């Protein structure tokens, strides 16, 4: 028995080793190639922030059976999204907040949450976020006036592209219209460089 | 001849590795087994799923489901696939959810198919929210059933398996998930089932 085991041990070891290797490979590749990642589902509907300074935001229909923003979407949340590309310049997201819970999430192209903040981070009922690369951050800081505090929150991104997701709570069907209007007024735009 | 048999052995080894690796990955990405999940009673949660430091298993699971994870700054999502006795949740049954909802600025309770699709139901209402629920802080039991129940009611579809997701928006629990325990989370009790 032990002789047999010894004779086949290289193969058993090889099979185990290749199992583990394949497992790690699938795990790392899956988020990038999954057929319906939230990132892809959302990117299909996001409009790229326009360089002309116009807001490019789409407010999605509230999720209901047969028409969801993404799997496991909360039907009590109104969702708006826009795409960004920092190679064009820093990207600003501004929204006023209401009484109801509101959140802003920055997603990678694969749908991973890179940054998220809720309306608790708002100042004077306004969430003002600028996504920047390291270089853009330095350029903006060089322009900052020395005697006043910067109002916006600057988030440094390691990759240039992704999606911004704005969500606000609309607990009753009668709250949906106001929530859509609130998010519809939000701003998503590329700032001019320099 | 000897050469041929060692090539065959190598191929068998590779095939075994392929099968083993696939099986291992499928098992570990099943929500019931995935590392990185925390379990309290009937509830499963991924407290770091929406954080930049999420572990690769959680990232892969959410990518495969196509779900946007809730970030710790947004709140906490709790998933239940089974009742308190361990039986899978079925729309043929009536359930009672009791024990109160943990503190949060807002909460929602929603029924989905296991793949994350919202359920169609005669009441045309996909979930129950903190603003709709009667009783406020003194929230009583929630009836989860196809047919309308007394008090707070979450409608179910005609039939089939479902999962419950309880989302706590802006909850102090995100900071102290280590302090969570099953005793403080709602219990799901099956009452009776249609044949």
């Amino acid at each position: 028995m032990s002789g047999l085991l010894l004779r086949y041990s290289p193969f058993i070891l090889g099979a185990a080793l290749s199992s583990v290797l394949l497992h790690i490979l699938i795990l790392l590749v899956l988020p990038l190639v999954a057929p319906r990642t939230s990132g892809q589902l959302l990117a299909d509907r996001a409009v790229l922030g326009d360089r002309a300074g116009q807001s490019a935001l789409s407010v999605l229909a509230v999720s209901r059976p047969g028409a969801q923003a993404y799997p496991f979407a909360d039907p009590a949340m109104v969702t708006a999204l826009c795409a960004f590309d920092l190679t064009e310049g820093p990207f600003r997201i501004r929204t006023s907040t209401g009484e109801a819970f509101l959140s802003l999430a920055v997603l990678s192209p694969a749908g991973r949450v890179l940054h998220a903040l809720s309306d608790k981070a708002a100042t004077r009922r306004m969430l003002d976020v600028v996504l920047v690369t390291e270089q853009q951050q330095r350029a903006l800081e060089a322009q900052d006036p020395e005697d006043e505090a910067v109002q916006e929150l600057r988030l440094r991104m390691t990759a240039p592209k992704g999606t911004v997701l704005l969500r606000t709570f609309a607990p009753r069907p009668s709250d949906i219209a106001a929530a859509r209007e609130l998010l519809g007024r939000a701003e998503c735009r590329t700032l001019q460089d320099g | 001849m000897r050469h041929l048999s060692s090539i065959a052995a190598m191929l068998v080894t590779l095939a075994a590795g392929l099968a083993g690796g696939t099986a291992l990955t499928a098992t570990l990405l099943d929500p019931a087994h995935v590392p990185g999940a925390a379990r309290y009673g009937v509830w499963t949660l991924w407290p770091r799923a929406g954080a930049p430091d999420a572990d690769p298993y959680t990232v892969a699971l959410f990518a495969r489901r196509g779900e946007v994870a809730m970030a710790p700054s947004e709140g906490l999502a709790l998933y239940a696939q089974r009742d308190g006795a361990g039986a899978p949740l079925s729309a043929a049954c009536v359930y009672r959810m009791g024990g109160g909802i943990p503190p949060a600025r807002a909460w929602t309770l929603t029924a989905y198919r296991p793949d994350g699709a919202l359920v169609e139901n005669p009441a045309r209402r996909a979930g129950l929210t903190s603003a709709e629920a009667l009783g406020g802080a003194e929230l009583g039991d929630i009836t989860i059933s196809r047919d309308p129940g007394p008090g707070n009611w979450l409608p179910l579809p005609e039939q089939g398996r479902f999962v419950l997701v309880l989302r706590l928006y802006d909850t102090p629990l995100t900071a102290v998930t280590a302090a969570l325990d099953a005793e403080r989370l709602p219990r799901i009790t099956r009452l009776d089932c249609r044949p």
Side-chain angles (χ1 to χ4, degrees):
Chain A
M1 181 64 202
S2 68
L4 209 65
L5 203 68
L6 203 67
R7 200 178 138 202
Y8 287 110
S9 65
F11 301 113
I12 296 169
L13 214 66
L17 200 69
S18 43
S19 293
V20 172
L21 278 177
L22 183 70
H23 169 61
I24 294 171
L25 189 74
I26 298 176
L27 205 60
L28 295 181
V29 171
L30 189 74
L32 306 175
V33 300
R36 46 157 216 180
T37 65
S38 51
Q40 273 155 355
L41 287 174
L42 295 172
D44 288 348
R45 266 175 283 180
V47 187
L48 197 66
D50 185 11
R51 204 185 160 88
Q54 265 189 331
S55 194
L57 177 95
S58 21
V59 183
L60 303 183
V62 170
S63 292
R64 55 188 163 76
Q68 286 173 241
Y70 45 85
F72 287 103
D74 190 341
M77 293 297 260
V78 168
T79 304
L81 49 92
C82 54
F84 62 86
D85 182 353
L86 298 185
T87 55
E88 305 274 311
F91 192 78
R92 165 169 261 164
I93 309 117
R94 247 158 71 102
T95 181
S96 48
T97 61
E99 292 297 326
F101 175 86
L102 183 145
S103 79
L104 185 162
V106 184
L107 307 182
S108 76
R112 251 187 104 162
V113 182
L114 302 174
H115 292 285
L117 37 119
S118 76
D119 53 355
K120 277 202 290 196
T123 37
R124 287 196 216 102
R125 302 198 133 212
M126 185 67 88
L127 264 183
D128 189 353
V129 172
V130 177
L131 306 181
V132 287
T133 61
E134 196 179 345
Q135 201 182 1
Q136 287 162 350
Q137 185 175 35
R138 277 200 301 268
L140 283 176
E141 274 168 5
Q143 292 172 19
D144 283 339
E146 277 177 24
D147 50 350
E148 51 184 292
V150 177
Q151 290 294 318
E152 71 214 24
L153 181 67
R154 288 176 192 153
L155 298 177
R156 199 154 87 192
M157 307 295 298
T158 45
K161 288 185 185 179
T163 312
V164 172
L165 202 57
L166 292 170
R167 283 175 287 187
T168 188
F169 190 48
R172 301 177 203 86
S174 59
D175 298 321
I176 293 171
R180 288 183 64 88
E181 202 202 307
L182 179 79
L183 292 189
R185 284 199 308 268
E187 187 186 319
C188 266
R189 66 187 176 95
T190 300
L191 301 174
Q192 301 292 334
D193 251 335
Chain B
M1 198 58 207
R2 218 198 128 119
H3 208 65
L4 259 179
S5 74
S6 65
I7 289 175
M10 225 133 68
L11 285 177
V12 169
T13 307
L14 277 179
L18 203 68
T22 313
L24 185 66
T25 312
T27 309
L28 287 177
L29 284 186
D30 182 328
H33 306 115
V34 69
R39 290 177 191 85
Y40 303 95
V42 298
W43 303 101
T44 303
L45 52 149
W46 287 269
R48 304 302 297 167
D53 62 354
D55 67 278
Y57 288 97
T58 305
V59 170
L61 174 78
F62 277 77
R64 196 171 69 147
R65 287 211 294 216
E67 180 180 357
V68 179
M70 222 158 133
S73 58
E74 296 174 309
L76 213 54
L78 299 99
Y79 301 74
Q81 298 189 59
R82 292 169 183 277
D83 65 24
L89 297 174
S90 159
C93 302
V94 175
Y95 298 90
R96 187 179 61 213
M97 191 171 120
I101 307 256
R105 184 162 139 209
W107 57 261
T108 64
L109 179 69
T110 317
Y112 298 90
R113 292 296 181 194
D115 67 351
L118 285 164
V119 295
E120 197 85 59
N121 59 69
R124 303 184 64 82
R125 192 154 60 76
L128 182 68
T129 68
S130 47
E132 292 168 324
L134 309 165
E138 296 294 305
L139 183 79
D141 291 345
I142 297 172
T143 305
I144 302 165
S145 58
R146 183 192 64 171
D147 301 317
N152 290 309
W153 171 56
L154 177 71
L156 289 180
E158 288 290 328
Q159 55 192 350
R161 294 270 301 266
F162 70 95
V163 295
L164 284 175
V165 182
L166 174 63
R167 291 189 175 85
L168 307 169
Y169 290 104
D170 222 347
T171 169
L173 288 181
T174 36
V176 288
T177 42
L180 262 176
D181 64 82
E183 292 298 308
R184 293 173 54 196
L185 294 175
R187 292 179 298 276
I188 302 171
T189 314
R190 190 170 85 181
L191 298 182
D192 50 14
C193 300
R194 300 192 303 276

